[in-house]
Amino acid sequence: MKLRPASYLILGMVRLGARSGYAIKAAADQSTQFFWPMSLAQVYPELARLQSAGLLRREEDPHGGRERHSYVLTEAGEEALGEWLRSSEGEPTQFRDEGVLRLFFADALMPADQLALLHRLRERAAAVASSTMEEIVPAATALADTGIRCPALVARLRADTNAFVERWLERAEAELREWS
Amino acid sequence: MKLRPASYLILGMVRLGARSGYAIKAAADQSTQFFWPMSLAQVYPELARLQSAGLLRREEDPHGGRERHSYVLTEAGEEALGEWLRSSEGEPTQFRDEGVLRLFFADALMPADQLALLHRLRERAAAVASSTMEEIVPAATALADTGIRCPALVARLRADTNAFVERWLERAEAELREWS
DNA sequence: GCTCACATGTAATCCGTTACATGATTCT
DNA sequence: AGAATCATGTAACGGATTACATGTGAGC
């Protein structure tokens, strides 16, 4: 069976303690979402696939009368995750940004509109940087006390990169303003 | 008819002078590919769609016995492109990076393997930064003499951001090394 | 003569998202 | 009592990629 990044994402989240499909999705929503989006409709079929491949073990774990399944990594699952983490194959970074696409073609705009576009992109980068710093980084840093440090590392990378882009666009904006 | 980012990408490329489907794809391959990937199989149906919507005009332009179609923007096409450029809707940035996903879960690795992963990511960022600087920026800068400046702006943004990420990962690597 | 670039398209497949469908528990 | 959260799934749809299929022109 072929494992895709989403498979490893689920394996990884289970390893970090997310037990139900719902919990996996919730955990992904405030962490991995930003560099590997995943919808809830992907989670349940994938869990079934991983279980039938022997990488996850599924146990009934009802909460009152509400059904719930609890997943844990099998040894094979642990090993598959480790192998993927140590490997380096995989598609190169995929990046889809409608804003940057607009910027690429922005020569078709009047200077005032170019400036407005640049400004919007800058504000967006600033918003991502600050919301990451305020919401994601604290949560990830709390985890770091339990020995799980990488989520915080990734959160800071995201925040810092967006802050860099913000400053870069600020300079570009200033140059364009001067220059026209 | 609903226009998607790929539609505007094609419109924009035609506006910049790419006339055939083949030429559009070739131009995209060395510029917009990095923030909006598009396959050749998307181009031809989309050209037909845009033409039937009256945004592109298609002319027969055979080169010897080899058939070729030449597309130009209609006034409606010009306007549709401009409207999109001035608008700000659109999905937020989508970013898919298997490498960063690995880093997120890297607490499952031994320090030596963590270091190796960090190193691979850093080298990848460095490679993107330098290849962009050497191949994409010069081509885009040549265009800038004709008054088309934004492609060069975007190319530099990409190169500089990747250089930033490289330095960031270098520091992270040094910290981890010290620290273990 | 051969290979590579130019050129246009279609078909099958894969994959992911949106929407649908249902129900229990907890908090206000 | 009502709303929000927890919880599990399926079905339909849409969009993008891979592979297929074909043919000319230019350069070596």
Side-chain angles (χ1 to χ4, degrees):
Chain A
M1 193 191 65
K2 201 191 153 192
L3 296 183
R4 286 154 286 163
S7 321
Y8 297 109
L9 170 49
I10 289 174
L11 250 26
M13 284 303 183
V14 170
R15 192 179 177 279
L16 289 181
R19 287 192 191 133
S20 68
Y22 186 89
I24 290 167
K25 171 61 174 147
D29 274 348
Q30 60 159 1
S31 55
T32 53
Q33 171 192 35
F34 305 109
F35 44 91
W36 205 280
M38 185 179 56
S39 75
L40 191 56
Q42 267 180 287
V43 175
Y44 293 106
E46 190 62 32
L47 279 169
R49 259 166 44 92
L50 292 169
Q51 187 210 345
S52 72
L55 305 178
L56 286 181
R57 191 154 27 88
R58 167 176 169 161
E59 280 154 26
E60 298 302 315
D61 178 26
H63 190 238
R66 177 187 343 179
E67 75 171 324
R68 184 165 60 175
H69 310 302
S70 209
Y71 294 89
V72 263
L73 286 187
T74 62
E75 226 157 288
E78 197 92 43
E79 192 157 332
L81 180 62
E83 230 168 87
W84 171 72
L85 284 172
R86 265 174 260 112
S87 74
S88 49
E89 293 113 68
E91 316 124 34
T93 311
Q94 276 191 35
F95 187 63
R96 277 198 143 100
D97 192 326
E98 206 173 331
V100 177
L101 189 61
R102 282 191 180 97
L103 187 56
F104 182 88
F105 292 116
D107 289 297
L109 291 172
M110 299 181 312
D113 287 328
Q114 290 179 353
L115 220 49
L117 171 56
L118 228 35
H119 192 72
R120 280 202 307 274
L121 293 181
R122 173 158 83 93
E123 285 193 320
R124 194 189 58 177
V128 170
S130 70
S131 75
T132 302
M133 221 51 195
E134 281 159 30
E135 288 158 40
I136 317 294
V137 171
T141 303
L143 248 175
D145 294 332
T146 70
I148 303 296
R149 299 189 197 88
C150 290
L153 192 73
V154 168
R156 268 184 279 123
L157 175 58
R158 174 177 151 88
D160 292 348
T161 304
N162 274 280
F164 175 82
V165 169
E166 187 208 339
R167 286 192 306 274
W168 198 97
L169 290 171
E170 199 181 354
R171 276 198 303 276
E173 218 183 307
E175 267 172 52
L176 180 62
R177 204 177 275 126
E178 236 174 69
W179 207 72
S180 54
Chain B
M1 192 191 65
K2 201 190 153 192
L3 296 183
R4 285 154 288 162
S7 320
Y8 297 109
L9 169 50
I10 289 175
L11 249 27
M13 284 301 184
V14 169
R15 192 178 177 280
L16 289 181
R19 283 186 195 139
S20 67
Y22 187 90
I24 290 167
K25 171 62 174 148
D29 274 347
Q30 60 158 4
S31 55
T32 53
Q33 173 195 30
F34 306 110
F35 43 91
W36 206 278
M38 184 179 56
S39 75
L40 191 56
Q42 268 180 286
V43 175
Y44 292 106
E46 190 62 32
L47 279 169
R49 259 168 43 93
L50 292 169
Q51 187 209 345
S52 71
L55 304 178
L56 286 181
R57 192 155 25 90
R58 168 176 168 161
E59 279 154 25
E60 299 300 317
D61 179 26
H63 189 238
R66 170 165 45 188
E67 73 172 327
R68 184 165 59 175
H69 309 301
S70 210
Y71 295 88
V72 262
L73 285 187
T74 62
E75 225 156 290
E78 197 93 43
E79 191 157 334
L81 180 62
E83 230 169 88
W84 171 71
L85 285 172
R86 267 174 259 113
S87 74
S88 49
E89 292 115 70
E91 316 124 35
T93 312
Q94 275 192 34
F95 185 63
R96 261 159 208 260
D97 190 326
E98 206 173 332
V100 177
L101 189 61
R102 282 191 180 98
L103 187 57
F104 182 87
F105 292 116
D107 289 297
L109 292 173
M110 300 181 311
D113 287 327
Q114 289 179 354
L115 219 50
L117 172 56
L118 228 35
H119 191 73
R120 280 202 308 275
L121 291 182
R122 173 159 82 92
E123 284 192 321
R124 194 189 57 178
V128 169
S130 71
S131 75
T132 303
M133 220 51 196
E134 281 158 30
E135 289 159 39
I136 317 295
V137 171
T141 304
L143 248 176
D145 295 332
T146 69
I148 304 296
R149 300 187 196 92
C150 289
L153 192 73
V154 169
R156 269 184 279 125
L157 175 58
R158 174 177 152 88
D160 292 347
T161 305
N162 274 280
F164 174 82
V165 169
E166 187 209 340
R167 287 192 306 274
W168 198 97
L169 291 171
E170 199 181 355
R171 276 197 303 276
E173 218 183 307
E175 268 172 51
L176 180 64
R177 204 178 273 125
E178 235 175 70
W179 205 74
S180 55

